[in-house]
Structure formats: C-alpha cells, structure tokens
Amino acid sequence: MELLLPLNLPPYPFKINDHNGQLTLFDVIRKREIIITPEEWVRQHFVQYLINQKKYPKTLIKLEGGHKLHGMAKRTDIVVYNPAGEKILLVECKAPSVPIDQKTFDQIARYNMVHKVKLLAVTNGLQHYFCLIDFDKKDYKFIEELPAYDTR
C-alpha cells in the first residue's frame, strides 16, 4: 500500500487517526482533519519540509487554492506567499506512483500562466525538481535545492 510509504523527505510524526478504515491526519495549514491519499501524504510531508527545514512561515502557506485557467476551475497544491501577499513559490504534488515527466511540468507551467511565480517545485515525494523562472528573459533554469525562506 503506497498510502504511508516512506518518502524522500524528512519523516514527520503525524498523528494518524483511523476512522473505520479511513486514515486521517491533522493538517496544520487548513487546521482540520483530512483524509490521507497518496498525493495528500506527499503534500503534507512537503509542507512540513517547507516549515521545518526551509523555514517558510506556515501562516504564508496556502493549500489547494482554486484558480481559473481558460475558464476551467483548477486547484494548486501549495502556494507560498511573502509578507506583502505576493506569491513566491508554487508547488505541484503527485502521488509517489506518478512519475515526474513532461506532462507534470506542462501542468505546473499552465498553472503558472495564472500565478506568475518565479520559483516552482514539482514532487512525488521521491523525486523533487525546482525551477527558477525569469519572466523578463522568458527563460527558466533548474536548481539543485529549494532555497530557504528569505526573511528580507
């Protein structure tokens, strides 16, 4: 069962509850119990990675924010803001069984047409890719590691 598989992210001691076979955990961002799916398992670990390892303030993280793209409702997995309310990081999470491929990058690129964020991350919990977008030059470059939160 891929539901609670170890990921290539620091482990986090989630308090997992079993409601008649339906596993849930407390989401510190949405402040409520949520059902654990393989993708949610990745999202929750990545959020903890952002907060604990990269020092992104949890008050500036939004999960599953809605937006419209070509008139269709879409949901962004993780968006991080700076204190001025500007989006600084967009994260697309996939289940561990979903390979990170061109289709995944196309999806986050489409979402970023709406968000216009300079830092993108794509993860399935096992592989992570980080990309800096230069809108002026209409260019991008992959980076090895996600930058820590910049308090400036």
Side-chain angles (χ1 to χ4, degrees):
M1 179 182 210
E2 87 172 316
L3 198 55
L4 303 179
L5 284 178
L7 302 174
N8 185 17
L9 288 163
Y12 186 76
F14 294 110
K15 184 176 183 283
I16 296 172
N17 297 304
D18 187 336
H19 301 283
N20 298 322
Q22 188 78 67
L23 299 181
T24 64
L25 59 76
F26 186 77
D27 181 328
V28 299
I29 303 299
R30 292 176 274 193
K31 295 181 175 46
R32 62 180 168 90
E33 288 283 315
I34 50 149
I35 295 170
I36 302 172
T37 63
E39 182 178 315
E40 191 63 49
W41 187 241
V42 171
R43 182 173 20 255
Q44 291 298 317
H45 275 82
F46 204 83
V47 164
Q48 293 303 323
Y49 169 72
L50 289 174
I51 294 167
N52 295 304
Q53 273 67 43
K54 296 299 180 175
K55 305 302 180 195
Y56 286 80
K58 68 181 175 185
T59 56
L60 298 178
I61 298 172
K62 182 176 180 186
L63 302 186
E64 292 205 311
H67 66 274
K68 290 244 189 243
L69 181 62
H70 305 303
M72 296 176 63
K74 302 288 183 183
R75 296 193 83 66
T76 307
D77 287 317
I78 303 171
V79 180
V80 181
Y81 297 82
N82 65 17
E86 301 161 328
K87 297 169 188 168
I88 59 169
L89 170 62
L90 182 63
V91 183
E92 179 61 30
C93 299
K94 297 294 184 190
S97 62
V98 176
I100 303 298
D101 58 14
Q102 189 61 51
K103 189 172 144 185
T104 313
F105 285 105
D106 291 346
Q107 180 182 3
I108 198 168
R110 281 192 307 274
Y111 289 178
N112 206 32
M113 289 167 52
V114 173
H115 294 286
K116 305 218 182 314
V117 180
K118 291 181 180 179
L119 181 57
L120 305 178
V122 177
T123 181
N124 63 5
L126 303 173
Q127 296 176 290
H128 323 288
Y129 296 94
F130 311 110
C131 186
L132 283 173
I133 308 293
D134 185 329
F135 290 102
D136 295 330
K137 293 181 181 175
K138 295 183 169 83
D139 196 14
Y140 64 92
K141 70 176 179 180
F142 285 95
I143 54 176
E144 288 286 316
E145 190 175 328
L146 185 68
Y149 181 71
D150 186 353
T151 56
R152 286 178 282 144

